């Protein structure tokens, strides 16, 4: 039967269990709210292979895995997911609607072997859960809750993926249609401490194995240590002397000889043996020179062969380029098609570039040969003979010098103690002399600093004298101005008698050194400030305080006012030299007695 036009052509997987009546299956699916499926018994899918128990095109499951043919393997993402009905002994699992989105899952915890299963029937038991999920793999433990969900722990991680395949299936116990016997499975990853612990142990084991593997690889690629050099003895010395005479063993023997000499094995007893070994090592110089000459000759021959081959190649390149140029002439060029002309022009450019590169290389070789020939022409054959004779003479002289140096070394060993004593005495004397030199340098530096300080003090005193002169000039000018003002006031006394009687205060103010109400306020504030500072204060300090009250007040105005009131304020000098400082003090109480 059909329900609202929704038909799912799904076929159950063939099982060894007996199948139920098709009409009963349709009724049960209608009760569960699912679209009924055709149960004609005919294969609805043409690619279905009944011998395999699964659809072709899906990778087969391992035959040793439990539940073969019951739980399908994971379907690749590029294939359409087609889920089938799953029949068990006690229950039946119906697939979800394929048009619905896949069920959501949480992020997979590391080493997850435990799944959460929700939506179980109320009448479901652990046996039924085991029957359904043991098809996915070996179940270690089931923890069932009373609220229709449980946690299942598998033996391996890949079994969890098989269990997630059952998410969304509808489960029905037997042939009952009761709600307590039906449910919709929801399978998701679960986070378990045992899984995390086993995963961490496995990761640590893999890290240990990786470190061990890396250590083995490093040891395999590490270069072997050189064999230890034996200590010198007469027997070993004779063996090394024989090896030095052999060309094949010369490198090994010369390394042993070098190690012995650096160790200090040479003494008065073994000096002759070492000298003979050094002499045999020197005899190999002529052999090495001859080998070098032979290799140079081979290199010259190879250069000649290369030059001849390169010149032949260049001739062939010239011929090919000539062919391209002749083909580019109008007599033949008009008969080619456009594509052929394009190819010929491209080939011609490529051939010319390669020819130019090879030609430059050949010219470079010829230039080098010409330079070598010019160097050889400059050197005369007589000079060459003289250089060879001088080289032989220098070798003889070098051997003599080596003999003398060996003798001198023997004498030096005898005089080592005396030299050490002399060096110790010289070192002590040198230390005394260095200390004296350092003392002299320090004294000179101190004298220079003292002279500099004296110069600075003299300059400071000169500047102070100049400042005092300037202040005295200012005071004289101010007194002159006051006298002029007094003369002007005396001329206007007759006219201002009535004003003086009415305003005696203004008269006293004009005759007094304080000339305005602003200066009276300044005198009062400065007196209060200096009364709080009994040890005095500098003019800058006083002005900084006054400028907080009025930013227009300047230092010169305050200093002139204070110098005018000598009975109220007194200036004192404190300190010596560079620390000389001028301080103003309040002396109003003493000045009151004097006036």
């Amino acid at each position: 039967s059909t329900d609202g036009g929704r038909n799912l052509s799904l076929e159950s997987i063939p099982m060894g269990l007996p199948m139920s009546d098709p009409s009963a299956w349709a009724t049960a699916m209608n009760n569960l709210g699912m679209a009924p499926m055709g149960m004609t018994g005919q294969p609805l899918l043409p690619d279905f292979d009944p011998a395999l128990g699964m659809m072709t095109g899906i990778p087969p499951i391992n035959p040793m895995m439990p539940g073969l043919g019951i739980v399908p393997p994971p379907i690749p993402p590029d294939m359409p997911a087609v889920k089938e009905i799953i029949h068990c002994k006690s229950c039946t699992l119906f697939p979800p609607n394929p048009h619905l989105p896949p069920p959501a899952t949480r992020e997979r915890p590391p080493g997850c072997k435990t799944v959460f299963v929700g939506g179980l029937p109320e009448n479901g038991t652990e046996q039924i859960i085991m029957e359904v999920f043991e098809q996915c793999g070996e179940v270690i433990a089931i923890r069932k809750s009373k609220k229709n969900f449980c946690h299942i722990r598998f033996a391996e991680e890949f079994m969890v993926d098989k269990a997630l395949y059952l998410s969304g299936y509808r489960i029905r116990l037997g042939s009952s249609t009761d709600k307590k016997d039906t449910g919709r499975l929801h399978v998701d990853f679960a986070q378990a401490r045992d899984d995390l612990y086993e995963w961490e142990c496995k990761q640590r084991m893999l890290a240990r194995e990786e470190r061990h593997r890396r250590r083995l690889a490093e040891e395999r690629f590490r270069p072997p240590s050189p064999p230890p050099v034996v200590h010198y003895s007469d027997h070993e010395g004779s063996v090394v002397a024989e090896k030095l005479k052999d060309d094949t063993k010369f490198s090994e023997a010369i390394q042993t000889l070098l190690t012995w000499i650096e160790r200090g094995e040479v003494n008065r007893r073994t000096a002759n043996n070492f000298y003979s070994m050094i002499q045999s090592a020197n005899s190999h110089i002529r052999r090495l020179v001859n080998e070098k000459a032979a290799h140079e000759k081979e290199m010259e021959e190879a250069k000649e062969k290369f030059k001849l081959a390169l010149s032949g190649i260049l001739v062939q390149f010239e011929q090919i380029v000539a062919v391209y140029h002749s083909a580019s002439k109008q007599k033949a060029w008009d008969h080619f098609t456009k594509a052929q002309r394009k190819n010929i022009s491209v080939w011609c450019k490529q051939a010319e570039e390669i020819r130019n590169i090879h030609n430059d290389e050949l010219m470079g070789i010829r230039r080098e040969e010409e330079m070598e020939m010019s160097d050889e022409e400059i050197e005369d054959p007589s000079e060459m003979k003289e250089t060879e004779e001088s080289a032989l003479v220098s070798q003889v002289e070098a051997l003599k010098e080596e003999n003398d140096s060996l003798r001198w070394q023997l004498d030096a060993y005898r005089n080592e103690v005396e030299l050490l004593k002399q060096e110790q005495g010289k070192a002590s004397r040198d230390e005394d002399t260095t200390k004296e030199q350092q003392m002299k340098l320090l004294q000179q530096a101190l004298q220079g600093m003292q002279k500099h300080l004296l110069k600075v003090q003299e300059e400071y005193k000169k500047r102070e004298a100049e400042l005092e002169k300037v202040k005295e000039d200012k005071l004289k000018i101010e007194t002159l101005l006051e006298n002029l003002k007094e003369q002007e006031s005396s001329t206007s006394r007759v006219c201002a008698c009535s004003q003086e009687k009415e305003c005696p205060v203004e008269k006293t103010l004009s005759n007094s050194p304080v000339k305005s109400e602003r200066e009276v306020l300044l005198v009062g504030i400065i007196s209060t400030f200096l009364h709080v500072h009994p040890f005095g204060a500098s003019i800058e300090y006083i002005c900084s305080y006054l400028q907080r009250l009025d930013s227009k007040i300047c230092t010169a105005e305050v200093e002139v006012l204070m110098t005018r009131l000598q009975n109220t304020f007194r200036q004192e000098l404190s300190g010596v030299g560079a620390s000389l400082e001028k301080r103003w003090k309040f002396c109003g109480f003493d000045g009151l007695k004097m006036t």
Side-chain angles (χ1 to χ4, degrees):
S1 62
T2 59
D3 186 8
R6 287 167 53 197
N7 277 326
L8 295 175
S9 59
L10 297 173
E11 182 118 0
S12 62
I13 298 174
M15 301 285 293
L17 301 174
M19 293 290 293
S20 302
D21 186 17
S23 60
W25 285 112
T27 306
M29 294 174 71
N30 280 327
N31 292 332
L32 290 171
M34 295 177 60
M37 294 179 292
M39 303 295 290
T40 59
Q42 297 296 328
L44 298 178
L45 298 174
D47 294 338
F48 184 77
D49 189 357
L52 295 174
M54 62 186 78
M55 289 188 299
T56 57
I58 300 176
I61 304 175
N62 187 1
M64 301 301 293
M65 204 176 292
L68 178 64
I70 296 174
V71 178
I75 298 173
D78 56 346
M79 293 184 64
V82 179
K83 294 186 177 181
E84 305 291 335
I85 298 174
I86 300 172
H87 299 282
C88 301
K89 291 181 181 179
S90 305
C91 61
T92 307
L93 300 176
F94 298 95
N97 188 353
H99 299 294
L100 295 175
T105 57
R106 62 180 293 180
E107 186 179 357
R108 182 169 190 155
C112 181
K113 296 181 183 178
T114 306
V115 294
F116 166 81
V117 182
L120 294 171
E122 292 185 14
N123 296 333
T125 61
E126 288 190 8
Q127 293 178 355
I128 295 171
I129 296 169
M130 179 69 77
E131 182 182 346
V132 173
F133 285 95
E134 70 180 355
Q135 304 170 23
C136 303
E138 182 183 354
V139 177
I140 294 177
I142 296 176
R143 294 189 293 275
K144 188 175 182 303
S145 175
K146 296 179 181 180
K147 295 184 179 180
N148 302 333
F149 70 87
C150 69
H151 289 85
I152 303 172
R153 189 163 189 260
F154 293 97
E156 298 295 337
E157 292 183 29
F158 69 89
M159 300 173 184
V160 173
D161 299 322
K162 293 184 177 183
L164 288 174
Y165 180 80
L166 299 176
S167 184
Y169 269 78
R170 291 182 179 273
I171 183 170
R172 188 189 67 183
L173 304 181
S175 59
S176 173
T177 59
D178 191 4
K179 287 187 178 180
K180 295 185 178 180
D181 294 334
T182 60
R184 188 182 191 84
L185 297 179
H186 174 69
V187 187
D188 198 356
F189 299 110
Q191 193 165 5
R193 283 177 293 183
D194 296 340
D195 297 345
L196 183 62
Y197 176 73
E198 289 181 3
W199 181 78
E200 288 176 350
C201 292
K202 187 176 179 181
Q203 294 299 316
R204 284 195 290 269
M205 183 183 70
L206 291 173
R208 284 196 297 271
E209 290 178 357
E210 181 63 24
R211 286 197 299 271
H212 180 66
R213 196 180 300 110
R214 195 181 297 117
R215 196 180 301 115
L216 290 177
E218 289 176 357
E219 289 177 358
R220 187 168 66 252
F221 289 111
R222 186 182 295 134
S225 58
V229 179
V230 297
H231 289 279
Y232 175 79
S233 63
D234 293 338
H235 172 68
E236 294 294 336
S238 62
V239 171
V240 171
E242 291 296 326
K243 286 183 179 180
L244 286 170
K245 295 175 184 177
D246 190 358
D247 296 344
T248 58
K249 300 178 181 178
F250 174 74
S251 60
E252 179 185 355
I254 198 72
Q255 187 64 35
T256 306
L257 177 61
L258 177 63
T259 306
W260 283 347
I261 293 171
E262 289 178 349
R263 282 181 184 173
E265 300 284 354
V266 182
N267 52 35
R268 185 181 294 176
R269 186 177 63 82
T270 61
N272 292 328
N273 294 334
F274 274 96
Y275 176 73
S276 62
M277 286 189 282
I278 292 168
Q279 192 173 8
S280 60
N282 185 53
S283 64
H284 283 271
I285 292 173
R286 187 173 295 175
R287 175 181 64 82
L288 295 173
V289 170
N290 293 332
E291 286 183 1
K292 183 189 173 187
H295 288 304
E296 286 178 350
K297 187 176 180 182
E298 290 177 0
M299 187 176 70
E300 292 294 331
E301 291 175 355
K303 279 184 178 179
E304 278 298 322
K305 288 181 181 178
F306 176 72
K307 189 172 71 173
L308 291 172
L310 190 61
S311 60
I313 290 167
L314 280 173
V315 169
Q316 294 178 10
F317 267 116
E318 291 290 344
Q319 293 172 354
I320 293 169
V321 171
V323 169
Y324 288 141
H325 285 304
S326 61
S328 299
K329 292 180 180 178
Q330 192 163 5
K331 185 187 291 184
W333 189 254
D334 294 339
H335 298 287
F336 294 117
T337 63
K338 185 180 281 187
Q340 290 172 347
R341 292 175 187 175
K342 186 177 180 181
N343 289 335
I344 290 170
S345 60
V346 170
W347 293 338
C348 183
K349 288 179 181 178
Q350 290 177 353
E352 286 178 349
E353 289 176 359
I354 297 169
R355 181 197 63 183
N356 293 334
I357 291 168
H358 286 77
N359 197 6
D360 292 341
E361 190 174 355
L362 183 62
M363 292 300 293
I365 293 169
R366 287 176 179 172
R367 277 195 222 98
E368 289 179 359
E369 289 180 352
E370 289 175 0
M371 290 173 68
E372 290 176 358
M373 290 293 292
S374 62
D375 292 339
E376 290 175 359
E377 288 174 359
I378 290 168
E379 294 178 358
D380 293 329
S382 60
E383 290 179 356
M384 292 290 289
K385 290 179 181 179
E386 288 177 1
T387 53
E388 289 178 358
E389 290 176 359
S390 63
L392 293 173
V393 171
S394 63
Q395 288 180 1
V396 173
E397 289 176 356
L399 290 173
K400 289 180 180 179
E401 287 177 359
E402 286 178 358
N403 288 329
D404 295 334
S405 65
L406 291 171
R407 291 173 187 169
W408 293 337
Q409 285 177 3
L410 292 172
D411 295 331
Y413 287 128
R414 294 172 187 171
N415 299 328
E416 275 183 353
V417 177
E418 295 177 359
L419 289 172
L420 288 171
K421 290 180 180 179
Q422 291 176 3
E423 286 176 0
Q424 288 177 356
K426 288 180 180 179
S428 61
R429 292 170 188 169
D430 292 336
E431 288 177 359
D432 294 334
T433 54
T434 53
K435 287 180 180 178
E436 290 176 359
Q437 290 176 358
Q438 289 177 357
M439 289 292 290
K440 288 179 180 178
L441 291 172
L442 289 171
Q443 288 176 357
Q444 291 175 0
L446 288 171
Q447 289 176 359
M449 291 291 289
Q450 289 176 355
K451 290 178 181 178
H452 183 67
L453 286 171
L454 291 172
K455 288 180 181 178
V456 170
Q457 287 178 357
E458 289 175 359
E459 289 177 359
Y460 188 78
K461 288 177 180 178
K462 288 178 181 178
R463 289 181 182 177
E464 280 185 347
E466 290 174 359
L467 286 171
E468 288 177 357
K469 287 180 181 178
V470 170
K471 288 179 181 178
E472 288 175 359
D473 294 339
K474 283 184 178 180
L475 289 171
K476 288 178 182 179
I477 292 166
E478 286 173 358
T479 53
L480 289 171
L481 288 170
E482 288 174 0
N483 293 328
L484 289 171
K485 287 179 180 179
E486 286 175 0
Q487 288 176 4
E488 289 175 359
S489 62
S490 62
T491 55
S492 61
R493 278 177 188 175
V494 177
C495 298
C497 286
S498 60
Q499 292 179 0
E500 286 177 3
K501 289 177 182 179
E502 292 174 0
C503 304
V505 178
E506 293 180 2
K507 182 181 177 181
T508 54
L509 285 172
S510 61
N511 293 330
S512 66
V514 180
K515 297 177 182 179
S516 64
E517 187 177 359
R518 173 184 171 80
E519 290 183 352
V520 172
L521 290 172
L522 284 175
V523 170
I525 294 166
I526 294 167
S527 302
T528 308
F529 180 77
L530 292 176
H531 186 64
V532 178
H533 296 78
F535 296 104
S538 63
I539 189 68
E540 290 82 7
Y541 188 24
I542 295 167
C543 289
S544 65
Y545 176 72
L546 292 173
Q547 284 172 356
R548 291 182 187 175
L549 304 173
D550 186 4
S551 60
K552 296 180 181 178
I553 295 172
C554 62
T555 308
E557 180 185 358
V558 176
E559 192 171 6
V560 169
L561 179 62
M562 293 175 73
T563 50
R564 265 191 271 147
L565 302 171
Q566 295 180 1
N567 294 326
T568 308
F569 305 109
R570 184 175 68 251
Q571 188 179 22
E572 293 183 356
L573 298 175
S574 61
V576 180
S579 62
L580 190 66
E581 187 179 5
K582 294 179 181 180
R583 288 180 175 270
W584 288 90
K585 289 186 178 181
F586 179 71
C587 60
F589 300 110
D590 299 333
L592 185 62
K593 297 175 183 178
M594 293 171 66
T595 57

